[in-house]
Coordinates of all heavy atoms in Angstrom, one line a residue:
M25 N 56.4 -50.7 94.9 CA 55.9 -51.1 93.6 C 55.9 -52.6 93.5 O 56.9 -53.2 93.8 CB 56.7 -50.4 92.5 CG 56.2 -50.8 91.1 SD 56.9 -49.9 89.7 CE 56.0 -48.3 89.9
K26 N 54.8 -53.2 93.1 CA 54.7 -54.6 92.9 C 55.1 -55.0 91.5 O 54.8 -54.3 90.5 CB 53.3 -55.1 93.2 CG 53.1 -56.6 93.1 CD 51.7 -57.0 93.4 CE 51.6 -58.4 93.3 NZ 51.3 -59.2 94.4
N27 N 56.0 -56.0 91.4 CA 56.5 -56.5 90.1 C 55.8 -57.9 89.8 O 55.8 -58.8 90.7 CB 58.0 -56.7 90.2 CG 58.7 -55.4 90.4 OD1 58.6 -54.5 89.6 ND2 59.4 -55.2 91.5
I28 N 55.4 -58.1 88.6 CA 54.8 -59.3 88.1 C 55.4 -59.6 86.8 O 55.4 -58.8 85.9 CB 53.2 -59.2 88.0 CG1 52.6 -59.0 89.4 CG2 52.7 -60.5 87.4 CD1 51.1 -58.9 89.4
I29 N 55.9 -60.9 86.6 CA 56.4 -61.3 85.4 C 55.3 -62.1 84.7 O 54.8 -63.1 85.2 CB 57.7 -62.2 85.6 CG1 58.7 -61.5 86.4 CG2 58.2 -62.7 84.2 CD1 59.2 -60.2 85.6
V30 N 55.0 -61.6 83.4 CA 54.0 -62.3 82.6 C 54.7 -63.0 81.4 O 55.4 -62.4 80.8 CB 53.0 -61.2 82.0 CG1 51.9 -61.8 81.1 CG2 52.4 -60.3 83.1
G31 N 54.3 -64.2 81.3 CA 54.9 -65.0 80.2 C 53.8 -65.2 79.1 O 52.6 -65.3 79.4
T32 N 54.2 -65.2 77.9 CA 53.3 -65.6 76.8 C 53.4 -67.0 76.5 O 54.5 -67.6 76.7 CB 53.6 -64.7 75.5 OG1 54.9 -65.1 75.1 CG2 53.5 -63.3 75.8
A33 N 52.3 -67.6 76.0 CA 52.4 -69.0 75.6 C 51.4 -69.2 74.5 O 50.4 -68.5 74.4 CB 52.0 -69.9 76.8
G34 N 51.8 -70.1 73.6 CA 50.9 -70.4 72.5 C 51.7 -70.8 71.3 O 52.9 -70.7 71.3
H35 N 51.0 -71.3 70.3 CA 51.7 -71.8 69.1 C 52.2 -70.6 68.2 O 51.7 -69.5 68.4 CB 50.8 -72.7 68.3 CG 51.5 -73.5 67.2 ND1 51.5 -73.2 65.9 CD2 52.1 -74.7 67.4 CE1 52.2 -74.1 65.3 NE2 52.6 -75.0 66.1
I36 N 53.0 -70.9 67.3 CA 53.6 -69.9 66.4 C 52.4 -69.3 65.6 O 51.4 -69.9 65.3 CB 54.6 -70.5 65.5 CG1 55.3 -69.5 64.7 CG2 54.0 -71.6 64.6 CD1 56.5 -70.0 63.9
D37 N 52.6 -68.0 65.3 CA 51.7 -67.2 64.5 C 50.3 -67.0 65.1 O 49.3 -66.8 64.4 CB 51.5 -67.8 63.1 CG 52.7 -67.7 62.3 OD1 53.5 -66.7 62.5 OD2 52.9 -68.5 61.3
H38 N 50.2 -67.0 66.5 CA 49.0 -66.7 67.1 C 48.9 -65.3 67.7 O 47.9 -65.0 68.4 CB 48.7 -67.7 68.2 CG 48.2 -69.0 67.6 ND1 47.5 -70.0 68.3 CD2 48.3 -69.6 66.4 CE1 47.2 -71.0 67.6 NE2 47.7 -70.8 66.4
G39 N 49.9 -64.5 67.5 CA 49.8 -63.1 67.8 C 50.5 -62.7 69.2 O 50.2 -61.6 69.7
K40 N 51.3 -63.6 69.8 CA 51.8 -63.3 71.1 C 52.7 -62.0 71.1 O 52.5 -61.1 71.9 CB 52.7 -64.5 71.6 CG 51.9 -65.8 71.8 CD 52.9 -66.9 72.2 CE 54.0 -67.2 71.3 NZ 53.6 -67.7 70.0
T41 N 53.6 -62.0 70.2 CA 54.5 -60.8 70.0 C 53.8 -59.6 69.6 O 54.0 -58.5 70.2 CB 55.6 -61.1 68.9 OG1 56.3 -62.3 69.4 CG2 56.6 -60.0 68.8
A42 N 52.8 -59.7 68.8 CA 52.0 -58.5 68.4 C 51.2 -58.0 69.5 O 51.1 -56.8 69.7 CB 51.0 -58.9 67.2
L43 N 50.7 -58.9 70.4 CA 49.9 -58.4 71.6 C 50.8 -57.7 72.6 O 50.5 -56.6 73.1 CB 49.2 -59.7 72.2 CG 48.4 -59.3 73.4 CD1 47.3 -58.3 73.2 CD2 47.8 -60.6 74.0
V44 N 52.0 -58.3 72.8 CA 53.0 -57.6 73.7 C 53.3 -56.2 73.2 O 53.4 -55.3 73.9 CB 54.2 -58.5 74.0 CG1 55.3 -57.8 74.7 CG2 53.8 -59.8 74.7
R45 N 53.6 -56.2 71.9 CA 53.9 -54.9 71.3 C 52.7 -53.9 71.4 O 53.0 -52.7 71.7 CB 54.3 -55.1 69.8 CG 54.7 -53.8 69.1 CD 55.2 -54.0 67.7 NE 54.2 -54.8 66.9 CZ 54.4 -56.0 66.4 NH1 55.5 -56.6 66.6 NH2 53.5 -56.6 65.7
A46 N 51.5 -54.3 71.2 CA 50.4 -53.5 71.3 C 50.2 -52.9 72.8 O 49.8 -51.8 73.0 CB 49.1 -54.2 70.9
L47 N 50.5 -53.8 73.8 CA 50.3 -53.4 75.2 C 51.5 -52.5 75.7 O 51.2 -51.6 76.5 CB 50.3 -54.7 76.0 CG 49.1 -55.6 75.9 CD1 49.3 -56.9 76.7 CD2 47.8 -54.8 76.4
T48 N 52.7 -52.7 75.2 CA 53.9 -52.0 75.7 C 54.5 -51.1 74.8 O 55.3 -50.2 75.2 CB 54.9 -53.1 76.2 OG1 55.4 -53.8 75.0 CG2 54.4 -54.1 77.1
G49 N 54.3 -51.2 73.5 CA 55.0 -50.4 72.5 C 56.4 -50.9 72.2 O 57.2 -50.3 71.6
I50 N 56.8 -52.0 72.8 CA 58.1 -52.6 72.7 C 58.1 -53.8 71.7 O 57.3 -54.7 71.9 CB 58.7 -53.0 74.0 CG1 58.8 -51.7 74.9 CG2 60.1 -53.7 73.9 CD1 59.2 -52.0 76.3
E51 N 59.1 -53.8 70.7 CA 59.2 -54.9 69.8 C 60.1 -56.0 70.5 O 61.3 -55.7 70.7 CB 59.8 -54.4 68.5 CG 60.1 -55.5 67.5 CD 58.9 -56.3 67.1 OE1 57.9 -55.8 66.6 OE2 58.9 -57.6 67.3
T52 N 59.6 -57.2 70.7 CA 60.4 -58.2 71.4 C 61.2 -59.0 70.5 O 62.1 -59.7 70.9 CB 59.5 -59.1 72.3 OG1 58.5 -59.7 71.5 CG2 58.9 -58.2 73.5
D53 N 60.8 -59.0 69.2 CA 61.6 -59.7 68.2 C 62.8 -58.8 67.7 O 62.5 -57.9 67.0 CB 60.8 -60.2 67.0 CG 59.9 -61.4 67.3 OD1 60.2 -62.1 68.3 OD2 59.0 -61.7 66.4
R54 N 64.0 -59.0 68.2 CA 65.0 -58.1 67.9 C 66.1 -58.7 66.9 O 66.9 -58.0 66.4 CB 65.7 -57.7 69.2 CG 66.4 -58.9 70.0 CD 66.7 -58.5 71.4 NE 67.4 -59.6 72.0 CZ 67.0 -60.8 72.3 NH1 65.7 -61.1 72.1 NH2 67.7 -61.7 72.9
L55 N 66.1 -60.0 66.8 CA 67.1 -60.7 65.9 C 66.8 -60.5 64.4 O 65.6 -60.5 64.1 CB 67.2 -62.1 66.2 CG 67.7 -62.6 67.7 CD1 67.6 -64.0 67.9 CD2 69.0 -62.0 68.1
K56 N 67.8 -60.4 63.6 CA 67.5 -60.2 62.2 C 66.7 -61.3 61.6 O 65.8 -61.2 60.9 CB 68.9 -60.1 61.4 CG 68.8 -60.0 59.9 CD 70.1 -59.9 59.3 CE 69.9 -59.8 57.8 NZ 71.2 -59.9 57.1
E57 N 67.1 -62.6 62.0 CA 66.4 -63.8 61.5 C 64.9 -63.8 62.0 O 64.0 -64.2 61.2 CB 67.1 -65.1 62.0 CG 66.5 -66.3 61.5 CD 67.2 -67.6 61.9 OE1 68.2 -67.5 62.6 OE2 66.7 -68.7 61.5
E58 N 64.6 -63.3 63.2 CA 63.2 -63.2 63.7 C 62.4 -62.3 62.8 O 61.3 -62.6 62.4 CB 63.2 -62.7 65.1 CG 63.7 -63.7 66.1 CD 63.7 -63.2 67.5 OE1 64.2 -62.1 67.7 OE2 63.3 -63.9 68.4
K59 N 63.0 -61.2 62.4 CA 62.3 -60.2 61.6 C 62.1 -60.7 60.2 O 61.1 -60.5 59.6 CB 63.1 -58.9 61.6 CG 63.1 -58.2 63.0 CD 63.9 -57.0 63.1 CE 63.8 -56.4 64.5 NZ 64.5 -55.2 64.7
E60 N 63.1 -61.4 59.7 CA 63.0 -61.9 58.3 C 62.0 -63.0 58.2 O 61.2 -63.1 57.2 CB 64.4 -62.5 57.8 CG 65.4 -61.4 57.5 CD 66.8 -61.9 57.2 OE1 67.0 -63.1 57.3 OE2 67.6 -61.1 56.8
R61 N 62.0 -63.9 59.2 CA 61.1 -65.1 59.2 C 59.7 -64.7 59.8 O 58.8 -65.5 59.6 CB 61.7 -66.2 59.9 CG 63.0 -66.8 59.2 CD 63.7 -67.8 60.0 NE 62.8 -69.0 60.1 CZ 63.2 -70.1 60.8 NH1 64.4 -70.1 61.4 NH2 62.4 -71.2 60.9
G62 N 59.6 -63.7 60.5 CA 58.4 -63.3 61.2 C 58.0 -64.2 62.3 O 56.8 -64.4 62.6
I63 N 59.0 -64.8 63.0 CA 58.7 -65.7 64.1 C 59.7 -65.4 65.2 O 60.8 -65.0 65.0 CB 58.8 -67.2 63.8 CG1 60.2 -67.6 63.4 CG2 57.8 -67.6 62.7 CD1 60.4 -69.1 63.2
S64 N 59.2 -65.7 66.5 CA 60.1 -65.5 67.6 C 61.0 -66.8 67.7 O 60.6 -67.9 67.7 CB 59.4 -65.4 69.0 OG 58.6 -64.2 68.9
I65 N 62.3 -66.5 67.9 CA 63.3 -67.6 68.0 C 63.9 -67.6 69.4 O 64.1 -68.7 70.0 CB 64.4 -67.5 66.9 CG1 63.8 -67.6 65.5 CG2 65.5 -68.4 67.2 CD1 64.7 -67.3 64.4
D66 N 64.2 -66.4 69.9 CA 64.8 -66.3 71.2 C 63.8 -65.6 72.1 O 62.8 -65.0 71.7 CB 66.1 -65.5 71.1 CG 67.1 -65.7 72.3 OD1 66.7 -66.5 73.1 OD2 68.1 -65.1 72.3
L67 N 64.1 -65.5 73.4 CA 63.3 -64.8 74.3 C 63.3 -63.3 74.1 O 64.3 -62.8 73.7 CB 63.8 -65.1 75.8 CG 63.9 -66.5 76.2 CD1 64.5 -66.5 77.6 CD2 62.6 -67.1 76.3
G68 N 62.1 -62.7 74.2 CA 62.0 -61.3 74.1 C 61.5 -60.7 75.4 O 60.7 -61.4 76.1
F69 N 61.8 -59.5 75.7 CA 61.4 -58.9 77.0 C 60.8 -57.5 76.7 O 61.3 -56.7 75.8 CB 62.6 -58.7 77.8 CG 63.3 -60.1 78.1 CD1 64.4 -60.5 77.4 CD2 62.8 -60.9 79.1 CE1 65.0 -61.7 77.6 CE2 63.4 -62.1 79.4 CZ 64.5 -62.5 78.7
A70 N 59.8 -57.2 77.5 CA 59.2 -55.9 77.5 C 58.7 -55.5 78.9 O 58.6 -56.4 79.7 CB 58.0 -55.9 76.5
H71 N 58.3 -54.3 79.1 CA 57.8 -53.9 80.4 C 56.7 -52.9 80.3 O 56.5 -52.2 79.2 CB 58.9 -53.3 81.2 CG 59.6 -52.2 80.6 ND1 59.1 -50.9 80.8 CD2 60.6 -52.1 79.8 CE1 59.9 -50.1 80.1 NE2 60.8 -50.8 79.4
L72 N 55.9 -52.8 81.3 CA 54.7 -51.8 81.3 C 54.5 -51.5 82.7 O 54.4 -52.3 83.6 CB 53.5 -52.5 80.7 CG 52.2 -51.6 80.7 CD1 52.3 -50.4 79.8 CD2 51.1 -52.5 80.2
E73 N 54.4 -50.2 83.1 CA 54.0 -49.7 84.4 C 52.6 -49.2 84.4 O 52.2 -48.4 83.6 CB 55.0 -48.6 84.9 CG 56.4 -49.2 85.1 CD 57.3 -48.2 85.9 OE1 56.8 -47.2 86.5 OE2 58.5 -48.5 85.8
C74 N 51.9 -49.7 85.4 CA 50.5 -49.3 85.6 C 50.3 -48.9 87.0 O 50.0 -49.7 87.9 CB 49.5 -50.5 85.2 SG 49.7 -51.1 83.6
G75 N 50.5 -47.6 87.3 CA 50.4 -47.1 88.7 C 51.5 -47.7 89.6 O 52.7 -47.6 89.3
E76 N 51.0 -48.5 90.6 CA 51.9 -49.1 91.5 C 52.3 -50.6 91.1 O 52.9 -51.3 91.8 CB 51.3 -49.2 92.9 CG 51.3 -47.8 93.5 CD 52.6 -47.2 93.7 OE1 53.5 -47.8 94.2 OE2 52.8 -46.0 93.4
L77 N 52.0 -50.9 89.8 CA 52.2 -52.2 89.3 C 53.2 -52.2 88.1 O 52.9 -51.4 87.2 CB 50.9 -52.9 88.9 CG 51.0 -54.3 88.3 CD1 51.5 -55.3 89.4 CD2 49.6 -54.7 87.8
R78 N 54.2 -53.0 88.2 CA 55.1 -53.1 87.1 C 55.1 -54.4 86.5 O 55.3 -55.5 87.2 CB 56.6 -52.8 87.5 CG 57.6 -52.9 86.4 CD 59.0 -52.7 86.8 NE 59.2 -51.4 87.5 CZ 59.9 -51.2 88.6 NH1 60.4 -52.2 89.2 NH2 60.0 -50.0 89.1
L79 N 54.7 -54.5 85.2 CA 54.6 -55.8 84.5 C 55.8 -56.0 83.6 O 56.1 -55.1 82.8 CB 53.3 -55.9 83.6 CG 52.0 -55.7 84.4 CD1 50.9 -55.6 83.3 CD2 51.8 -56.9 85.3
G80 N 56.4 -57.1 83.8 CA 57.6 -57.5 82.9 C 57.1 -58.7 82.0 O 56.5 -59.6 82.5
F81 N 57.2 -58.5 80.7 CA 56.7 -59.5 79.8 C 57.9 -60.4 79.3 O 58.9 -59.8 78.9 CB 56.0 -58.9 78.6 CG 54.7 -58.3 79.0 CD1 54.7 -57.0 79.4 CD2 53.5 -59.0 78.9 CE1 53.5 -56.4 79.8 CE2 52.3 -58.4 79.2 CZ 52.3 -57.1 79.7
V82 N 57.8 -61.7 79.3 CA 58.7 -62.6 78.7 C 58.0 -63.3 77.5 O 57.0 -64.0 77.6 CB 59.2 -63.7 79.6 CG1 60.2 -64.6 78.9 CG2 59.9 -63.1 80.8
D83 N 58.4 -62.9 76.3 CA 57.7 -63.4 75.1 C 58.6 -64.6 74.6 O 59.7 -64.5 74.1 CB 57.7 -62.3 74.0 CG 57.0 -62.7 72.7 OD1 56.1 -63.6 72.8 OD2 57.2 -62.0 71.7
V84 N 58.0 -65.8 74.8 CA 58.7 -67.0 74.5 C 58.3 -67.5 73.1 O 57.2 -67.3 72.6 CB 58.5 -68.1 75.5 CG1 58.8 -67.7 76.9 CG2 57.0 -68.6 75.5
P85 N 59.3 -68.2 72.4 CA 59.0 -68.8 71.1 C 57.9 -69.8 71.2 O 57.8 -70.5 72.2 CB 60.3 -69.4 70.6 CG 61.4 -68.9 71.6 CD 60.7 -68.5 72.8
G86 N 57.1 -69.9 70.1 CA 56.0 -70.9 70.1 C 56.2 -72.0 69.1 O 55.2 -72.7 68.8
H87 N 57.4 -72.2 68.6 CA 57.7 -73.3 67.7 C 58.5 -74.4 68.4 O 59.4 -74.2 69.2 CB 58.6 -72.7 66.5 CG 58.6 -73.6 65.3 ND1 59.4 -74.8 65.3 CD2 57.9 -73.7 64.1 CE1 59.3 -75.4 64.2 NE2 58.4 -74.7 63.4
E88 N 58.1 -75.6 68.0 CA 58.7 -76.8 68.7 C 60.2 -76.9 68.5 O 60.9 -77.4 69.4 CB 58.1 -78.1 68.2 CG 58.3 -78.3 66.7 CD 57.5 -79.4 66.1 OE1 56.4 -79.8 66.7 OE2 57.8 -80.0 65.0
R89 N 60.8 -76.3 67.5 CA 62.2 -76.4 67.3 C 63.0 -75.5 68.3 O 64.2 -75.6 68.5 CB 62.6 -76.0 65.9 CG 62.2 -77.1 64.9 CD 62.8 -76.9 63.6 NE 63.3 -75.6 63.2 CZ 63.2 -75.1 62.0 NH1 62.7 -75.8 61.0 NH2 63.6 -73.9 61.7
F90 N 62.2 -74.6 68.9 CA 62.9 -73.6 69.9 C 62.4 -73.9 71.3 O 62.4 -73.0 72.1 CB 62.6 -72.2 69.5 CG 63.0 -71.9 68.0 CD1 62.0 -71.6 67.1 CD2 64.3 -72.1 67.6 CE1 62.4 -71.4 65.8 CE2 64.7 -71.8 66.3 CZ 63.7 -71.4 65.4
I91 N 62.1 -75.1 71.6 CA 61.5 -75.5 72.9 C 62.5 -75.2 74.1 O 62.1 -74.8 75.1 CB 61.0 -76.9 72.9 CG1 60.2 -77.2 74.2 CG2 62.2 -77.9 72.9 CD1 58.8 -76.8 74.0
K92 N 63.8 -75.3 73.8 CA 64.8 -75.0 74.9 C 64.7 -73.6 75.2 O 64.8 -73.2 76.4 CB 66.2 -75.4 74.5 CG 66.4 -76.9 74.3 CD 67.8 -77.2 73.9 CE 67.9 -78.7 73.8 NZ 69.3 -79.1 73.4
N93 N 64.6 -72.7 74.3 CA 64.5 -71.2 74.6 C 63.1 -71.0 75.3 O 63.1 -70.1 76.2 CB 64.5 -70.4 73.3 CG 65.8 -70.5 72.6 OD1 66.7 -71.1 73.1 ND2 66.0 -69.8 71.5
M94 N 62.1 -71.6 74.9 CA 60.8 -71.5 75.5 C 60.9 -71.8 77.0 O 60.4 -71.1 77.9 CB 59.7 -72.3 74.8 CG 58.3 -72.1 75.4 SD 57.1 -73.3 74.8 CE 57.3 -73.2 73.0
L95 N 61.4 -73.0 77.3 CA 61.5 -73.4 78.7 C 62.4 -72.5 79.5 O 62.2 -72.3 80.7 CB 62.0 -74.9 78.7 CG 61.0 -75.9 78.1 CD1 61.7 -77.3 78.1 CD2 59.8 -75.9 78.9
A96 N 63.5 -72.0 78.9 CA 64.4 -71.1 79.6 C 63.7 -69.9 80.1 O 63.9 -69.3 81.2 CB 65.6 -70.7 78.8
G97 N 62.7 -69.4 79.3 CA 62.0 -68.2 79.6 C 60.9 -68.4 80.6 O 60.4 -67.5 81.3
A98 N 60.5 -69.7 80.8 CA 59.3 -70.0 81.7 C 59.8 -70.1 83.2 O 58.9 -70.1 84.0 CB 58.7 -71.3 81.3
A99 N 61.1 -70.0 83.5 CA 61.5 -70.3 84.8 C 61.0 -69.2 85.8 O 60.7 -69.6 86.9 CB 63.1 -70.3 84.8
G100 N 61.0 -68.0 85.5 CA 60.6 -66.9 86.5 C 59.3 -66.3 86.3 O 59.0 -65.3 86.8
I101 N 58.4 -67.0 85.5 CA 57.1 -66.4 85.2 C 56.1 -66.5 86.4 O 56.0 -67.6 87.0 CB 56.5 -67.1 84.0 CG1 57.3 -66.7 82.8 CG2 55.0 -66.7 83.8 CD1 56.9 -67.5 81.5
D102 N 55.4 -65.4 86.7 CA 54.4 -65.4 87.8 C 53.0 -65.8 87.2 O 52.3 -66.6 87.9 CB 54.3 -64.0 88.4 CG 55.6 -63.6 89.1 OD1 56.1 -64.5 89.9 OD2 56.0 -62.5 89.0
I103 N 52.7 -65.3 86.0 CA 51.4 -65.6 85.4 C 51.7 -65.8 83.9 O 52.6 -65.3 83.4 CB 50.3 -64.6 85.7 CG1 50.7 -63.2 85.1 CG2 50.0 -64.4 87.1 CD1 49.6 -62.1 85.2
V104 N 50.7 -66.5 83.3 CA 50.9 -66.8 81.9 C 49.8 -66.2 81.1 O 48.6 -66.3 81.5 CB 51.0 -68.3 81.6 CG1 50.9 -68.6 80.1 CG2 52.1 -69.0 82.2
M105 N 50.0 -65.6 79.9 CA 49.0 -65.1 79.0 C 49.1 -66.1 77.9 O 50.0 -66.1 77.1 CB 49.4 -63.7 78.6 CG 48.4 -63.1 77.6 SD 48.6 -61.4 77.3 CE 50.3 -61.2 77.2
F106 N 48.0 -66.9 77.8 CA 47.9 -67.9 76.7 C 47.2 -67.3 75.6 O 46.0 -66.9 75.7 CB 47.2 -69.2 77.3 CG 47.2 -70.3 76.3 CD1 48.4 -70.9 76.0 CD2 46.0 -70.8 75.8 CE1 48.3 -72.0 75.1 CE2 46.0 -71.9 74.9 CZ 47.2 -72.5 74.6
V107 N 47.9 -67.2 74.4 CA 47.4 -66.5 73.3 C 46.9 -67.5 72.2 O 47.7 -68.3 71.8 CB 48.4 -65.5 72.7 CG1 47.8 -64.8 71.5 CG2 48.9 -64.5 73.8
I108 N 45.6 -67.3 71.8 CA 45.1 -68.2 70.8 C 44.5 -67.3 69.7 O 43.7 -66.4 70.0 CB 43.9 -69.1 71.4 CG1 44.5 -70.0 72.4 CG2 43.4 -69.9 70.2 CD1 43.4 -70.8 73.2
A109 N 44.9 -67.4 68.5 CA 44.5 -66.6 67.4 C 43.0 -67.0 67.1 O 42.7 -68.1 66.7 CB 45.3 -66.7 66.2
P110 N 42.1 -66.0 67.2 CA 40.7 -66.2 66.9 C 40.5 -66.3 65.3 O 41.2 -65.6 64.6 CB 39.9 -65.1 67.5 CG 41.0 -64.0 67.5 CD 42.3 -64.6 67.7
T111 N 39.6 -67.0 64.9 CA 39.2 -67.0 63.5 C 37.8 -66.8 63.3 O 37.0 -67.1 64.2 CB 39.6 -68.4 62.8 OG1 38.9 -69.4 63.5 CG2 41.1 -68.7 62.9
S112 N 37.4 -66.2 62.2 CA 35.9 -66.0 62.0 C 35.4 -67.0 61.0 O 36.2 -67.4 60.1 CB 35.7 -64.6 61.5 OG 36.4 -64.3 60.3
R113 N 34.2 -67.4 61.1 CA 33.7 -68.4 60.2 C 32.5 -67.8 59.5 O 31.8 -67.0 59.8 CB 33.2 -69.6 61.0 CG 34.3 -70.3 61.6 CD 33.9 -71.6 62.2 NE 35.0 -72.2 62.9 CZ 35.6 -73.3 62.5 NH1 35.2 -73.9 61.4 NH2 36.6 -73.7 63.2

């Protein structure tokens, strides 16, 4: 089985955590403060198996005050999923 680590990247409130939850069914925001504030503060982890492919997701915070946590999560990433919230005009 091939393993790939996917990291999320993007600014706060652009849907990174919601997208990981929609893909995997796993809530990566687990801290009480994250749930109360509606933002990722610490690294979150999820996984998804697709046949012979196992994807591990690292959901990193997107706020500048948590940059150390973001960088810590980026160390083992194979590919990045850059999430930008679309807007309609």
Side-chain angles (χ1 to χ4, degrees):
M25 180 170 284
K26 182 174 177 117
N27 297 297
I28 296 177
I29 304 298
V30 180
T32 62
H35 196 262
I36 188 171
D37 290 334
H38 282 202
K40 298 178 303 293
T41 301
L43 180 57
V44 172
R45 182 176 52 248
L47 292 171
T48 67
I50 297 171
E51 175 60 59
T52 57
D53 283 346
R54 64 194 186 291
L55 302 176
K56 180 181 177 187
E57 185 178 358
E58 289 176 314
K59 293 176 184 183
E60 289 173 354
R61 295 175 65 182
I63 64 170
S64 296
I65 295 170
D66 203 1
L67 301 175
F69 303 94
H71 58 87
L72 176 67
E73 290 191 18
C74 301
E76 292 298 313
L77 180 63
R78 180 183 300 133
L79 299 170
F81 291 88
V82 180
D83 186 19
V84 302
H87 193 282
E88 63 191 22
R89 290 196 334 216
F90 307 115
I91 193 81
K92 290 180 182 179
N93 293 1
M94 182 190 306
L95 293 175
I101 292 173
D102 296 314
I103 61 175
V104 173
M105 180 171 36
F106 188 62
V107 179
I108 300 172
T111 60
S112 59
R113 295 187 185 252

